[in-house]
């Protein structure tokens, strides 16, 4: 693919979802269409590439279906457990503990199902509108970080493991010492946002996913990851040429653009042939930046849609929280570097 074609497709990929709401709401199919276009403009389809694009999304798509079905079958029991806990545990402590638990297992149940559980929990904790927004944003930061630890967790981790040739636990070994402090900090912040007594407001949204909706969601995830595999393959040589010229520090802060884009998109473009320490820094920046705005990560999109959170309200909490976390991560990286 020549540089002019690559630039044109990249502009469509990065700014199409920001410019047109219908594209943002159907970003998975849009990404697949652009992946097909980029491949046609590039080296074209090969049997190996088709096989990879069809094989890579299978595990995470199946995980979405299984986890969503299990959540649907156990949701009422979860509701009963929380109703009992509300009588014994203060709301800040229960909020922080619940979000930490959800985020810690989101790499197994997937970020999508983690976000659905978060929405259910937020409804059971009875927040006013402002507190609901703040707790949801902090919770999605935690889930976005926690889901990165296995290839099943989210598209970003699926593509990162593929690009870095890591096994199932490779991302855990690479990221866990850095991710869990961020998950814990985000959970504590969510607990601080939840200060106050229960029953300040009526219960919020509850999750009611039909079987058809679960399979549609899994199909969208399949299309999204397949599209990113195609994009990754088409842009691999160009990304290697330009990203390799950027210092680690410049790449870390440049990745803050993933606040406005799905962070999996940038992973698909960036991490080819990176050393693991450099890839870790880039991925951490993408994970944190992805929580700053609604389009940045799948948990944000799921939660904001279910709870009807507007972009401006999300940014008011997400941007300062994300910048503080990025600053802390950057300082620790430099200190240990």
């Amino acid at each position: 693919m020549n540089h002019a074609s690559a630039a044109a497709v990249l502009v469509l990929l990065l700014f199409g979802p920001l410019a047109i709401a219908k594209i943002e709401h159907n970003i998975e199919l849009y990404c697949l269409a652009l992946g097909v276009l980029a491949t046609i403009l590039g080296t074209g389809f090969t049997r190996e590439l088709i096989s990879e694009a069809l094989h890579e999304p299978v595990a995470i798509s199946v995980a979405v279906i299984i986890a969503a079905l299990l959540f649907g079958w156990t949701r009422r029991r979860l509701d009963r457990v929380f109703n009992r806990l509300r009588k014994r545990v203060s709301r800040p402590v229960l909020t922080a503990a619940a979000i930490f638990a959800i985020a810690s297992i989101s790499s197994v149940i997937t970020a999508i199902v983690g976000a659905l559980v978060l929405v259910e929990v937020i409804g059971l904790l009875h927040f006013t509108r402002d507190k609901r927004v703040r707790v949801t944003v902090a919770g999605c930061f935690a889930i976005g970080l926690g889901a990165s630890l296995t290839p099943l967790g989210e598209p970003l981790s699926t593509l990162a493991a593929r690009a870095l040739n890591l096994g199932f636990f490779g991302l855990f070994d690479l990221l866990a010492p850095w991710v869990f402090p961020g998950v814990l900090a985000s959970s504590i912040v969510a607990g601080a946002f939840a200060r106050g007594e229960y029953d300040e407001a009526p219960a919020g949204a509850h999750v009611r996913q039909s079987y058809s909706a679960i399979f549609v969601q899994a199909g969208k995830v399949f299309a999204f990851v397949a599209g990113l595999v195609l994009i990754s393959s088409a842009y691999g040589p160009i990304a290697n040429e330009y990203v390799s010229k950027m210092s680690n520090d410049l790449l870390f802060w440049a990745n803050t653009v993933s606040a406005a884009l799905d962070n999996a998109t940038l992973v698909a473009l960036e991490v080819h042939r990176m050393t693991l320490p450099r890839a870790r820094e880039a991925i951490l920046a993408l994970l944190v930046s992805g929580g700053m705005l609604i389009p940045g990560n799948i948990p944000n999109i799921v939660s904001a849609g279910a709870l009807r959170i507007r972009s401006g309200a999300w940014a008011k909490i997400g941007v300062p929280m994300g910048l503080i976390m990025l600053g802390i991560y950057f300082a620790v990286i430099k200190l240990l570097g």
Side-chain angles (χ1 to χ4, degrees), residues 44 139 189 191 215 220 256 310 317 336:
V189 169
F215 282 93
K220 286 183 175 182
T256 56
R310 295 184 176 275
I317 305 301
L336 299 179

Side-chain angles (χ1 to χ4, degrees), residues 30-331:
Y30 181 71
C31 182
L32 178 60
L34 288 183
V36 171
L37 176 61
T39 303
I40 292 172
L41 294 174
T43 57
F45 286 95
T46 64
R47 180 176 297 177
E48 291 77 13
L49 179 59
I50 293 172
S51 175
E52 189 172 8
L54 292 175
H55 174 265
E56 200 66 40
V58 169
I60 188 172
S61 300
V62 171
V64 167
I65 293 171
I66 293 173
L69 290 172
L70 290 174
F71 170 59
W73 296 332
T74 59
R75 184 188 55 76
R76 290 184 179 177
R77 182 174 297 177
L78 175 67
D79 292 356
R80 290 195 295 269
V81 168
F82 263 82
N83 286 331
R84 290 197 294 269
L85 288 173
R86 287 175 60 227
K87 299 174 183 177
R88 302 177 182 178
V89 183
S90 69
R91 191 169 66 175
V93 173
L94 182 55
T95 300
I99 287 177
F100 184 80
I102 294 167
S104 296
I105 63 172
S106 60
S107 62
V108 177
I109 66 173
T110 77
I112 293 170
V113 177
L116 294 175
V117 178
L118 175 67
V119 169
E120 184 73 15
V121 167
I122 293 233
L124 293 167
L125 292 174
H126 298 187
F127 293 112
T128 59
R129 176 67 183 175
D130 288 344
K131 286 189 176 181
R132 181 187 298 178
V133 173
R134 293 197 292 268
V135 171
T136 301
V137 173
C140 285
F141 270 105
I143 291 171
L145 286 164
S148 67
L149 297 179
T150 77
L152 299 179
E154 57 184 335
L156 178 147
S157 56
T158 302
L159 294 161
R162 167 184 172 269
L164 297 170
N165 295 315
L166 296 176
F168 187 82
F169 294 104
L171 285 172
F172 186 93
D173 294 336
L174 180 69
L175 297 174
W178 298 82
V179 159
F180 276 117
V183 171
L184 179 61
S186 299
S187 303
I188 292 172
V189 169
F193 286 152
R195 288 192 303 270
E197 299 299 323
Y198 293 106
D199 297 324
E200 289 185 1
H206 291 273
V207 177
R208 299 288 188 274
Q209 269 201 315
S210 65
Y211 290 127
S212 61
I214 291 171
F215 282 93
V216 167
Q217 183 68 70
K220 286 183 175 182
V221 171
F222 188 99
F224 187 49
V225 175
L228 290 176
V229 168
L230 297 178
I231 289 168
S232 175
S233 176
Y235 278 89
I238 296 173
N240 288 335
E241 178 184 348
Y242 286 99
V243 172
S244 63
K245 296 177 181 178
M246 300 173 70
S247 68
N248 288 6
D249 294 353
L250 178 59
L251 182 61
F252 182 94
W253 290 107
N255 278 342
T256 56
V257 300
S258 71
L261 314 165
D262 189 282
N263 51 24
T265 304
L266 292 180
V267 159
L269 297 175
E270 284 183 5
V271 298
H272 297 272
R273 301 178 186 174
M274 276 189 180
T275 63
L276 291 182
R278 178 172 165 86
R280 178 172 54 218
E281 292 184 22
I283 292 170
L284 286 171
L286 291 172
L287 290 171
V288 176
S289 299
M292 293 165 68
L293 299 175
I294 290 174
N297 207 357
I298 280 184
N300 312 359
I301 298 169
V302 172
S303 300
L307 297 172
R308 299 180 182 178
I309 299 174
R310 295 184 176 275
S311 297
W314 190 289
K316 186 177 179 181
I317 305 301
V319 170
M321 185 173 171
L323 290 175
I324 291 170
M325 290 181 68
L326 284 168
I328 293 171
Y329 270 117
F330 185 74

